[in-house]
Amino acid sequence: DTGVSQDPRHKITKRGQNVTFRCDPISEHNRLYWYRQTLGQGPEFLTYFQNEAQLEKSRLLSDRFSAERPKGSFSTLEIQRTEQGDSAMYLCASSLAFGGVNTEAFFGQGTRLTVV
Amino acid sequence: TQLLEQSPQFLSIQEGENLTVYCNSSSVFSSLQWYRQEPGEGPVLLVTVVTGGEVKKLKRLTFQFGDARKDSSLHITAAQPGDTGLYLCAGLDTGRRALTFGSGTRLQVQP
């Protein structure tokens, strides 16, 4: 396992289309996070999972966004009816949490979404 | 809402110069992490600081966590063009389980 993997790296879509991104975390990590980053800004938290349970969602995650982690391994982030404002880098990260301790989060290379 | 403010937002220096980047908050963090990000790539973890007053060194980079665990600094000695990138600090609060990021400091080191 070489790290967190995201697919695709780049996605161009027309406004109104649906898109889905995939994240494969580091295999032994039980926590998985999704962040969004726009140009010139730091990453903004969207949601996170512990195993298959989605434990927290940001207010940034509108009802057009849905994330799943069905088997506690890989995760998908779907955006329905995309808008130009959804254009951003979508980052996935994973970490290992045990006994109240949360280890460092490691990030994937991101999926750059452009809505035209 | 916790906020992490980074300063400066942008820094352009000559090779060989020293610099310090600051990360400040009014909130206490259980740990703070520094990342570096290249254009079009994800952030890469540089260091994690946990204890108030802790100092960690990574070659020419020195990281310090404030005594009250509300702020941190990154000092680079004799900067090189390879240090160019976006430096992000991110704090983890015991009450939340996801990192809160600062807006970053974009560093450009001219040869």
Side-chain angles (χ1 to χ4, degrees):
Chain A
D1 191 308
T2 57
V4 179
S5 176
Q6 291 189 245
D7 182 70
R9 291 290 312 277
H10 304 274
K11 177 72 176 178
I12 300 175
T13 191
K14 291 184 178 179
R15 190 176 54 181
Q17 297 294 306
N18 300 343
V19 294
T20 300
F21 310 141
R22 176 179 171 125
C23 172
D24 288 88
I26 294 172
S27 57
E28 62 267 26
H29 284 182
N30 54 3
R31 284 197 178 161
L32 187 148
Y33 310 83
W34 285 99
Y35 286 81
R36 183 175 72 186
Q37 186 177 26
T38 53
L39 205 60
Q41 299 296 317
E44 296 172 296
F45 171 72
L46 292 178
T47 187
Y48 94 94
F49 294 82
Q50 177 143 334
N51 300 312
E52 66 276 6
Q54 188 173 17
L55 296 187
E56 188 174 345
K57 291 193 288 187
S58 160
R59 281 173 290 179
L60 291 174
L61 210 67
S62 76
D63 56 6
R64 296 185 297 104
F65 288 69
S66 62
E68 294 183 344
R69 195 183 183 197
K71 298 182 180 178
S73 56
F74 74 91
S75 174
T76 58
L77 177 68
E78 181 183 17
I79 308 174
Q80 296 182 326
R81 305 181 302 281
T82 52
E83 302 172 356
Q84 287 188 321
D86 297 331
S87 295
M89 173 79 91
Y90 289 85
L91 293 163
C92 176
S94 70
S95 69
L96 178 63
F98 59 94
V101 176
N102 194 11
T103 64
E104 295 99 336
F106 292 89
F107 281 81
Q109 292 178 301
T111 294
R112 162 102 29 219
L113 173 67
T114 302
V115 182
V116 297
Chain B
T1 304
Q2 298 172 305
L3 289 175
L4 274 169
E5 295 184 356
Q6 285 189 241
S7 62
Q9 289 186 323
F10 183 76
L11 194 56
S12 181
I13 60 172
Q14 294 296 122
E15 182 176 1
E17 292 184 14
N18 302 332
L19 67 118
T20 302
V21 175
Y22 299 93
C23 175
N24 295 295
S25 175
S26 58
S27 301
V28 176
F29 292 99
S30 61
S31 67
L32 195 137
Q33 300 174 13
W34 284 91
Y35 291 83
R36 189 173 84 187
Q37 187 176 24
E38 306 274 350
E41 301 291 329
V44 174
L45 180 66
L46 296 174
V47 78
T48 299
V49 285
V50 178
T51 307
E54 182 177 4
V55 177
K56 280 192 174 178
K57 291 191 175 183
L58 188 66
K59 296 182 181 179
R60 294 175 293 100
L61 278 60
T62 301
F63 304 85
Q64 184 162 8
F65 202 11
D67 290 341
R69 291 185 289 138
K70 292 182 178 181
D71 55 84
S72 181
S73 63
L74 158 61
H75 182 79
I76 301 179
T77 304
Q80 298 176 1
D83 296 327
T84 293
L86 179 68
Y87 288 83
L88 295 158
C89 66
L92 187 65
D93 172 21
T94 51
R96 292 190 68 240
R97 295 171 179 84
L99 291 169
T100 299
F101 278 86
S103 56
T105 293
R106 188 162 298 281
L107 172 65
Q108 193 167 46
V109 182
Q110 308 283 358

